Amino acid sequence: MWRHNVDFKLLLFGTLYPAYYSYKAVKTKNVKEYVRWMMYWIVFALYTVVETITDLTFAWFPLYYELKIAFVIWLLSPYTRGASLIYRKCLHPLLSSREREIDDYIVQAKERSYETMVNFGKQGLSIAATAAVTAAVKATFWHRMSSFDLLNHTAENMARNSANGW
């Protein structure tokens, strides 16, 4: 129960509050606030990835959830400017030094994902075509078999009727 309460608070403070202030920064075209919130979202994206891993390994740790809330508040606070600090001291230098590699990786991933989707599409069409042909063959076969049975059954009835004198 406590964990869900913490997740709700993190959702509220870590996502909805900054989303609203990001909206305000875009609406008012305040570049300073816009940059502040962009740095926050970049740091928060990294936090979300790290949190997913740490939730699996450190959730048992005493005060773990309280530390998560405190960290998000520290990131958001206009007094500590935690997101700005992490972005400027860690993420910006790291991303700048690896930007070309990251861009190349993204291009390769896009190409591979396109090829993968085309292959899945081809496989899906092949499976659908096979299923349609199989269904058509079965329907034709059963139609012919039922027609044959009907003719056979009609011939037997006619023979019985002639034998009975009808």
Side-chain angles (χ1 to χ4, degrees):
M1 179 69 175
W2 170 245
R3 180 181 189 277
H4 297 296
N5 194 16
V6 170
D7 288 341
F8 177 74
K9 288 177 184 174
L10 286 172
L11 175 68
L12 184 65
F13 292 114
T15 307
L16 297 178
Y17 173 83
Y20 180 72
Y21 278 95
S22 298
Y23 156 77
K24 298 281 277 186
V26 170
K27 182 181 175 189
T28 61
K29 297 179 182 165
N30 183 335
V31 175
K32 184 179 176 185
E33 284 298 302
Y34 186 78
V35 169
R36 174 186 175 212
W37 289 112
M38 286 301 295
M39 287 189 286
Y40 171 80
W41 287 114
I42 293 168
V43 172
F44 191 76
L46 176 67
Y47 164 77
T48 303
V49 171
V50 171
E51 177 195 30
T52 302
I53 297 164
T54 59
D55 276 357
L56 297 173
T57 55
F58 294 114
W60 58 269
F61 191 75
L63 303 177
Y64 172 73
Y65 294 104
E66 290 83 354
L67 290 170
K68 283 173 55 171
I69 291 173
F71 181 71
V72 170
I73 291 171
W74 179 77
L75 288 176
L76 284 170
S77 173
Y79 303 108
T80 61
R81 297 221 180 246
S84 177
L85 181 69
I86 290 175
Y87 177 81
R88 292 179 196 279
K89 298 289 183 184
C90 301
L91 289 178
H92 181 74
L94 178 67
L95 292 172
S96 293
S97 68
R98 308 247 182 200
E99 189 170 357
R100 184 72 187 147
E101 294 169 48
I102 295 169
D103 288 343
D104 290 344
Y105 179 77
I106 290 172
V107 167
Q108 290 173 5
K110 283 181 181 177
E111 290 171 357
R112 277 188 257 141
S113 67
Y114 177 76
E115 291 170 9
T116 301
M117 292 308 293
V118 168
N119 286 337
F120 278 138
K122 286 179 182 177
Q123 289 175 355
L125 287 174
S126 175
I127 290 169
T130 302
V133 168
T134 302
V137 167
K138 283 182 180 178
T140 303
F141 174 76
W142 288 113
H143 177 70
R144 288 191 179 168
M145 289 302 290
S146 65
S147 296
F148 178 73
D149 285 346
L150 183 60
L151 290 173
N152 213 9
H153 187 64
T154 305
E156 288 175 8
N157 282 341
M158 288 176 68
R160 251 189 258 132
N161 289 339
S162 329
N164 290 337
W166 296 3

